[in-house]
Amino acid sequence: MKKSIFFLLLVSTTTFAQTSEDSLMIRKIYDEVLSNGQAYEWLRYLCKQIGPRLSGSVGAQKAVAYTKQLMEQEKFDRVFLQDVKVPHWVRGAKEEAYFKIGKEKTKVPIAALGGSVATAPKGLEAEVIEVKSFQQLRELGKDKVKGKIVFFNRPMDPTKINTFEAYGGAVDQRANGATEAANLGAVGAIVRSVTTRQDDVPHSGSMRYGTGVPLIPTAAISTNAANLLSQKLKEHPNLTFYFRQNCETLPDADSHNVVGEIKGREKPDEIIVVGGHLDSWDIAEGAHDDGAGCVQSIEAVRLLKVLGYQPKRTIRAVMFMNEENGLKGGIKYADLAKQNNEKHIAAIESDNGGFTPRGFGIVGKTDQKAKIIGWKPLLAPYGLHEIGPGGGGADIGPLAQHGTVLLGYKPDTQRYFDYHHAANDNFENVSKRELDLGTASMAVLIYLLDKYGI
């Protein structure tokens, strides 16, 4: 009996000592980043001096060079590039659009969707048919759709507290709308911007064509313009819509993932990855999507170095290329990891904006999830309450097949889709404090994963 009590006391004392040590380290991480954080200024340069970074563009090339230089400047043990072929779609001259009632024209803001074909040089004009779902479109049939422009006007559900859930309920229109419309003989497709915000800013994003269907031009229309067009269609069902866009897909381009690491002292062959995607849409600076995730990842590793932490395992920051319109960087990274027999025990991705941290979503086995959830008492004082099953991230997703635990950084979701894939995703809309708090959250999770394994 006495031995049992002694053992329990010993375990309790050891656990307390570990927790106390961890609490002190976590406090140091937050103090350092909130006092001396570098990520915000790195983001300023990425946005203001480099700007849009769509795969295959000059901006993407400059971003590769810049982030490589950053990690070299911070004296990571090794910094290197991974070659990757990426899609190269270009927007061309600015789009224009209007709807016409009689001789009266009303201009509306649109943005070609990534991967779309162009209209004819003089543009495309046709009558419009409005739908809220693919089922509604199919029920109309070819007789009513043929020769028309299909207007997909299903909004994000504003009653969803998690805006990513609302996004998931509307984004199929953007991704597959052109294919669904073309299947029924439509000549073009216009899609309501996938955002809850009511404004005049169209939100771009990727789309894809199905096999064997005509390639028809497709564009996003701003939410204010979508509401106006819907209203006018009720009053004037035979109005016509005109739009002109000049986009094209060029041959795949050479690009790179950017990788920087600090070597582990005990288990250097075990790797913990933290990353974001370096590419962004071409109509904005890509501040929240995903410049924030990139600078947070580099800064999270830098913080541990500055604090003198000697990791047991190798910690790697990765700037993935081509998440927006292909995921080639994430796939290539996972392929190379397999080819090189690398053991990735965990991967963290930040691709939900630089907003106030809320927690992490976990993809892994039951015992792995339980271990991470067990760290909640250490994380809760810093606002990280949402620790549990959830998505990891698109770029790190291919690592799941290697048994890697995936962790998606979860900031507050309420403002993300105000800026997502839109011209207002600029540096000015990022809060330094929120960005730094997110960075600290990621650094803390790296520390715990490295110290205790998974």
Side-chain angles (χ1 to χ4, degrees):
M1 183 67 175
K2 288 181 180 180
K3 285 184 179 180
S4 297
I5 294 172
F6 176 75
F7 176 74
L8 289 172
L9 185 62
L10 180 63
V11 170
S12 177
T13 305
T14 303
T15 302
F16 176 79
Q18 288 176 335
T19 302
S20 177
E21 180 183 282
D22 293 335
S23 294
L24 288 171
M25 181 61 180
I26 291 169
R27 183 70 258 178
K28 285 180 182 178
I29 289 171
Y30 275 88
D31 287 351
E32 175 62 26
V33 76
L34 293 174
S35 300
N36 303 305
Q38 302 297 308
Y40 192 67
E41 289 308 313
W42 294 343
L43 183 63
R44 184 196 302 274
Y45 188 94
L46 189 64
C47 291
K48 296 302 179 185
Q49 301 303 315
I50 296 175
R53 307 174 297 278
L54 191 58
S55 295
S57 69
V58 172
Q61 292 175 1
K62 289 181 178 179
V64 166
Y66 174 61
T67 51
K68 180 175 182 286
Q69 174 197 327
L70 269 185
M71 290 189 276
E72 290 172 340
Q73 166 191 305
E74 297 304 327
K75 295 182 169 53
F76 284 28
D77 294 334
R78 184 167 74 120
V79 182
F80 59 98
L81 303 180
Q82 295 178 331
D83 297 341
V84 57
K85 282 278 191 183
V86 297
H88 189 189
W89 179 85
V90 294
R91 185 172 301 276
K94 185 174 174 56
E95 306 89 344
E96 58 179 296
Y98 57 79
F99 61 82
K100 189 165 68 172
I101 301 171
K103 293 183 178 179
E104 183 183 349
K105 297 177 182 177
T106 301
K107 291 185 177 181
V108 292
I110 67 164
L113 294 178
S116 176
V117 295
T119 59
K122 292 185 178 181
L124 169 65
E125 184 171 358
E127 290 187 355
V128 181
I129 189 158
E130 178 182 357
V131 296
K132 296 290 178 69
S133 69
F134 294 160
Q135 182 61 33
Q136 182 186 1
L137 178 67
R138 292 165 192 156
E139 288 172 357
L140 289 171
K142 283 190 176 181
D143 289 345
K144 292 184 178 179
V145 176
K146 189 174 181 179
K148 303 250 177 73
I149 293 172
V150 175
F151 168 37
F152 293 97
N153 193 31
R154 183 188 343 133
M156 284 176 61
D157 184 348
T159 68
K160 300 291 186 185
I161 302 304
N162 185 330
T163 59
F164 280 86
E165 187 180 350
Y167 176 76
V171 74
D172 62 328
Q173 301 168 107
R174 190 195 77 202
N176 302 313
T179 292
E180 293 285 340
N183 271 329
L184 294 171
V187 293
I190 297 295
V191 183
R192 182 189 185 91
S193 287
V194 192
T195 175
T196 54
R197 187 167 176 164
Q198 302 299 310
D199 61 18
D200 296 311
V201 181
H203 293 236
S204 190
S206 63
M207 55 78 58
R208 52 184 174 268
Y209 292 112
T211 304
V213 299
L215 308 186
I216 62 173
T218 180
I221 185 171
S222 74
T223 50
N224 280 349
N227 293 339
L228 179 62
L229 178 58
S230 182
Q231 174 194 327
K232 293 301 180 182
L233 277 168
K234 290 178 177 66
E235 300 167 3
H236 306 277
N238 296 320
L239 67 74
T240 59
F241 190 92
Y242 167 89
F243 71 113
R244 182 170 65 86
Q245 56 192 41
N246 306 280
C247 41
E248 63 177 317
T249 298
L250 302 174
D252 285 358
D254 293 323
S255 192
H256 305 89
N257 294 327
V258 189
V259 185
E261 65 183 24
I262 52 176
K263 283 287 185 184
R265 70 181 191 278
E266 292 180 15
K267 300 180 178 180
D269 294 336
E270 292 188 4
I271 298 170
I272 298 169
V273 163
V274 59
H277 66 85
L278 198 49
D279 59 308
S280 74
W281 283 105
D282 57 312
I283 54 179
E285 296 168 359
H288 281 293
D289 187 21
D290 185 28
C294 290
V295 297
Q296 284 176 321
S297 298
I298 298 172
E299 174 78 327
V301 180
R302 186 195 74 87
L303 284 173
L304 298 175
K305 278 177 57 64
V306 166
L307 292 171
Y309 179 70
Q310 298 292 317
K312 296 179 181 180
R313 297 164 172 87
T314 295
I315 300 172
R316 197 178 267 184
V318 183
M319 312 295 102
F320 296 96
M321 182 56 70
N322 183 232
E323 186 271 350
E324 294 292 5
N325 61 337
L327 205 64
K328 299 294 186 180
I331 293 168
K332 184 62 177 284
Y333 184 87
D335 287 347
L336 287 174
K338 183 178 182 180
Q339 180 182 313
N340 296 330
N341 293 315
E342 293 178 338
K343 182 180 181 182
H344 287 68
I345 67 164
I348 305 167
E349 183 165 355
S350 171
D351 185 20
N352 292 336
F355 302 103
T356 303
R358 294 286 184 250
F360 293 90
I362 313 165
V363 179
K365 297 176 182 176
T366 302
D367 60 328
Q368 293 169 329
K369 293 176 188 175
K371 186 169 190 175
I372 295 168
I373 291 169
W375 297 333
K376 265 189 177 183
L378 291 166
L379 304 174
Y382 300 93
L384 298 169
H385 301 289
E386 298 177 24
I387 313 290
D395 291 296
I396 61 176
L399 286 170
Q401 62 187 318
H402 307 317
T404 306
V405 177
L406 309 182
L407 299 118
Y409 167 59
K410 293 169 61 175
D412 184 87
T413 71
Q414 301 311 314
R415 287 172 289 152
Y416 183 64
F417 291 101
D418 291 358
Y419 310 114
H420 184 247
H421 298 173
N424 57 2
D425 185 15
N426 295 326
F427 175 75
E428 291 79 7
N429 289 318
V430 178
S431 156
K432 181 182 188 302
R433 186 168 181 85
E434 290 179 333
L435 184 76
D436 287 343
L437 286 168
T439 302
S441 305
M442 293 159 64
V444 166
L445 194 57
I446 294 168
Y447 160 74
L448 292 170
L449 287 165
D450 176 65
K451 182 175 179 181
Y452 296 112
I454 191 65

